[in-house]
Amino acid sequence: MKSNKNPAAMPQPHPRNRHPYARRRLLKLGASLVLVGIDPGLALANTRPTIRGVRVWPATDYTRVTIESTQPLQVQEHQLASPNRLVVDLQGLTLDQALRALVSNVHPNDPYIRAVRVGQFTRDVVRIVLDLKGAVTPKVFSTAPTGQYAYRLMLDLYPADGKPQDALDTLAARATESTQATHNAPASTPERSTQRKLIVAIDPGHGGEDPGAIGGGGTYEKHVVLDIARRLRAKIAASPDMDAMMTRDDDFFVPLGTRVTKARHARADLFVSIHADAFTTPAASGSSVFALSEHGASSAAARWLAQSENASDVIGGLDIKSADHALAPVLFDMSTTQQINDSLKYGALVRESIGKINHLHGNGLEQAGFAVLKAPDIPSILVETAFISNPSEELKLQNPAYRQQMADAIYDGIRKYFASHPPLERRVTV
């Protein structure tokens, strides 16, 4: 016999008792645990966060300590002086081997951390003490699970005196220093057409928590592109009319917006971001060069690669709460047709040079909305040196000779662009 009662009209339980069956199951679980001699509190302890790993990323710009866990960590921190220390209390944790490993992860050459001490401060609190080499400005924040990572607690230690910025200030000052030039000579080379050194901003993609693409043979994109970038910097440094800066010169995370800001602060004349990405199929091969697009990607592959590269901030561990969300849109709105046109000319010359050492992917210079190319006043390109997801190209990237050839090819394109398009006046406004 069917009931004529309307379920929606039946009395509803009080909000505290909306799950009576679940409540009964919990009570039964507690009773059964007592019967078999197991402390219910011990069972509930299994719901506490479990540490999946700890990592330390030392760099001149800042040192990052990452603590990855299965659940969000409740944290309290404070600083002490004489000597300088950062004290971090992790709530609801029991000290385990994973946290103890933090001690051995700190190396003597870390710019900011002298040593780490870890201990069970109270029954429910694990205390971490970072013994510092000097005063720092700490930044502590958490990120939600993304990609291969679970929850992460980030402890970023920045210099209190802002010394890393001084290097960019020095480079910008050197760029404005006058040099001896032959004014009567035809302006066919950069040294004859300008009275200052031309600055190239080199951006090795990814870094730190963000490994970039990983080849089937275990090659990390972030390591390969850093090596190519260093080789390119050496080529530029040997030139009498050019200078170079790098957005990172070590294995640490740099947000996309910060990469652009660094280049602008150094008053760069050109910007090149170096990558070795993966694709959905290992059959994809060849080198590519990209410029910014204001009107969508030039191909589905370009769109896919741009989305992949733009995800670096999330994977690398960006503090969303304090990030300047307006930066990228503002830079994009400021981007002019002239900047993009210059980037296309610059990219075409680099692509032509790269084509002499490797097969070129696609039919020509491509465009997409890469966030790292959005400096409004610097011609900017992104170079995919090879597909690390292709087994044969991964072998190329593992070869120092190929990495040197790639650096030489990019340098050759840069020189050709400066020779035909010397930037006589600066358009940079910081």
Side-chain angles (χ1 to χ4, degrees), residues 289-291 293 295-303 364-369:
V289 180
F290 297 85
S293 171
H295 306 293
S298 56
S299 69
R303 184 183 306 107
L365 186 70
E366 296 217 57
Q367 293 178 262

Side-chain angles (χ1 to χ4, degrees), residues 218-257:
T219 308
Y220 278 49
E221 179 184 4
K222 66 176 181 177
H223 297 321
V224 167
V225 299
L226 179 58
D227 183 69
I228 295 173
R230 286 171 172 168
R231 293 171 185 272
L232 175 58
R233 179 180 60 183
K235 290 282 293 187
I236 292 173
S239 170
D241 55 320
M242 287 192 281
D243 211 338
M245 60 82 61
M246 288 175 60
T247 59
R248 71 175 180 95
D249 190 18
D250 215 328
D251 187 11
F252 67 101
F253 167 68
V254 183
L256 297 174

Side-chain angles (χ1 to χ4, degrees), residues 79-85 132:
Q79 286 185 270
L80 299 173
S82 301
N84 292 298
R85 288 152 290 164
L132 306 172

Side-chain angles (χ1 to χ4, degrees), residues 251-266:
D251 187 11
F252 67 101
F253 167 68
V254 183
L256 297 174
T258 303
R259 295 169 188 260
V260 176
T261 300
K262 282 186 170 187
R264 299 187 75 226
H265 188 84

